[in-house]
Structure formats: C-alpha cells, structure tokens
Amino acid sequence: QVQLVESGGGLVQAGGSLRLSCAASGGTFSRYAMGWFCQAPGQEREFVAAISRSGGIYYADSVKGRFTISRDNAKNTVYLQMNSLKPEDTAVYYCAADSDAGYIYVPKRFNEYDYWGQGTQVTVSS
C-alpha cells in the first residue's frame, strides 16, 4: 500500500554533505513514524535516525551532530540531511515507515517498520 522512494544519494568526498529524500505515496503520511537505516555490504541493516508522528527525533550515536532528520507532511516526504560525511558512512540508505506507531513513539528497530524504500547508495570517498 505505502510506497517509499529514496533519492539524493551519490558519491561525495569526506567532509561533504548530501541530502536524502524519501517520498511516500499510497497512505496517510502523517500517521506514520518514519526512519532511516543504512546497510553496508556484508553488514546488518543499522538504525540511523527516526522521527515520530509528533516530530520527536532519535539518532544513532554515530550520526549525532552530523545528520538531521526532518519531515514535511504537506509534501509526504522525510529527509536526511547528512553533513561532515565520513567514509564509514558509505552504505545503502533506506527509508522506512511504521504504520502503527503511537503519536509520540520513535521506532528504532528495523522490525518495527513495515514499509521500506528501495534504498539509495551513498559513497563517501577519502
């Protein structure tokens, strides 16, 4: 039902910035908590950031102070602003929606999300 499409990934030098977008369709966006995860080759999918229906936010320790998650309900879009990128940030980044989250709940586990985008590659070179 819910479709999520990420965009904005690419190749960037260390210290640079990227802004990822995730456009949602097919559902009521404001009813979903939204999150970003990343997955490097051979690694498990890891939590990056999430934003609740009410706007509450939680970040993984590795990205605090560098990444910013935001949502624009009028545009049915969630964003991940990534600054001060490091080579270890290189991964496929996925956005996800939790369709049954409470208003203030910020989901942090991958199995709490029931809709996923296709992912967008972020590569950070030295």
Side-chain angles (χ1 to χ4, degrees):
Q1 283 270 282
V2 178
Q3 295 175 297
L4 305 174
V5 180
E6 302 98 333
S7 62
L11 176 63
V12 65
Q13 291 184 324
S17 298
L18 286 172
R19 190 193 194 200
L20 306 185
S21 299
C22 175
S25 62
T28 304
F29 182 73
S30 63
R31 294 179 180 174
Y32 307 140
M34 300 295 298
W36 288 95
F37 290 75
C38 66
Q39 188 168 25
Q43 303 295 314
E44 66 181 0
R45 193 166 297 187
E46 295 185 347
F47 173 80
V48 176
I51 184 166
S52 72
R53 294 164 58 194
S54 66
I57 291 169
Y58 193 86
Y59 296 102
D61 287 344
S62 61
V63 306
K64 286 181 180 177
R66 299 190 298 123
F67 292 8
T68 303
I69 188 172
S70 61
R71 66 189 297 161
D72 186 338
N73 289 346
K75 296 182 178 179
N76 290 348
T77 301
V78 63
Y79 304 95
L80 186 68
Q81 177 67 46
M82 304 187 295
N83 298 327
S84 301
L85 282 161
K86 304 174 181 179
E88 49 263 49
D89 296 320
T90 296
V92 176
Y93 283 75
Y94 299 88
C95 69
D98 180 359
S99 63
D100 60 0
Y103 185 64
I104 65 170
Y105 184 66
V106 183
K108 307 173 189 67
R109 299 175 180 270
F110 72 89
N111 60 0
E112 294 183 282
Y113 293 86
D114 44 12
Y115 297 99
W116 293 85
Q118 83 289 350
T120 185
Q121 177 70 49
V122 172
T123 302
V124 184
S125 64
S126 300

